[in-house]
Short mmCIF file of all heavy atoms in Angstrom, two decimals:
data_model
loop_
_atom_site.label_atom_id
_atom_site.label_comp_id
_atom_site.label_asym_id
_atom_site.label_seq_id
_atom_site.Cartn_x
_atom_site.Cartn_y
_atom_site.Cartn_z
N PHE A 1478 37.36 49.45 -44.84
CA PHE A 1478 36.52 49.45 -43.63
C PHE A 1478 35.15 48.84 -43.93
O PHE A 1478 34.49 49.20 -44.91
CB PHE A 1478 36.36 50.89 -43.13
CG PHE A 1478 35.50 51.02 -41.92
CD1 PHE A 1478 35.95 50.60 -40.68
CD2 PHE A 1478 34.22 51.58 -42.01
CE1 PHE A 1478 35.15 50.73 -39.55
CE2 PHE A 1478 33.42 51.72 -40.89
CZ PHE A 1478 33.89 51.29 -39.65
N TRP A 1580 10.00 32.67 -13.61
CA TRP A 1580 9.48 33.06 -14.93
C TRP A 1580 8.23 33.91 -14.78
O TRP A 1580 8.06 34.93 -15.44
CB TRP A 1580 9.17 31.82 -15.76
CG TRP A 1580 9.30 32.08 -17.21
CD1 TRP A 1580 8.37 32.62 -18.04
CD2 TRP A 1580 10.46 31.86 -18.00
NE1 TRP A 1580 8.87 32.73 -19.31
CE2 TRP A 1580 10.16 32.27 -19.31
CE3 TRP A 1580 11.72 31.33 -17.73
CZ2 TRP A 1580 11.07 32.17 -20.35
CZ3 TRP A 1580 12.63 31.23 -18.78
CH2 TRP A 1580 12.30 31.66 -20.04
N ARG A 1708 37.75 18.31 22.66
CA ARG A 1708 37.00 19.51 22.30
C ARG A 1708 37.46 20.74 23.08
O ARG A 1708 37.45 21.85 22.55
CB ARG A 1708 35.50 19.28 22.52
CG ARG A 1708 35.07 19.04 23.96
CD ARG A 1708 33.60 18.61 23.99
NE ARG A 1708 33.10 18.44 25.36
CZ ARG A 1708 33.31 17.38 26.10
NH1 ARG A 1708 34.07 16.38 25.60
NH2 ARG A 1708 32.81 17.29 27.31
N ASP A 1735 36.25 45.33 -9.45
CA ASP A 1735 36.79 46.10 -10.58
C ASP A 1735 36.49 45.32 -11.86
O ASP A 1735 36.98 44.21 -12.05
CB ASP A 1735 38.29 46.29 -10.41
CG ASP A 1735 38.89 47.23 -11.46
OD1 ASP A 1735 38.20 47.50 -12.46
OD2 ASP A 1735 40.04 47.67 -11.28
N GLU A 1911 32.30 53.67 -12.80
CA GLU A 1911 31.07 53.93 -12.05
C GLU A 1911 30.37 52.63 -11.68
O GLU A 1911 29.86 52.48 -10.57
CB GLU A 1911 30.16 54.84 -12.87
CG GLU A 1911 30.65 56.28 -12.91
CD GLU A 1911 29.79 57.17 -13.76
OE1 GLU A 1911 28.95 56.64 -14.53
OE2 GLU A 1911 29.95 58.40 -13.68
N LEU A 1944 21.33 29.62 24.67
CA LEU A 1944 22.31 30.62 24.24
C LEU A 1944 23.64 29.98 23.87
O LEU A 1944 24.26 30.32 22.86
CB LEU A 1944 22.51 31.66 25.36
CG LEU A 1944 23.46 32.82 25.04
CD1 LEU A 1944 22.91 33.65 23.88
CD2 LEU A 1944 23.65 33.70 26.26
N SER A 2023 36.40 26.74 -9.46
CA SER A 2023 37.54 27.61 -9.19
C SER A 2023 38.66 27.41 -10.20
O SER A 2023 39.58 28.23 -10.29
CB SER A 2023 38.09 27.36 -7.78
OG SER A 2023 38.55 26.03 -7.63
#
Side-chain angles (χ1 to χ4, degrees):
F1478 179 72
W1580 208 276
R1708 64 189 183 280
D1735 187 345
E1911 287 177 347
L1944 183 63
S2023 62

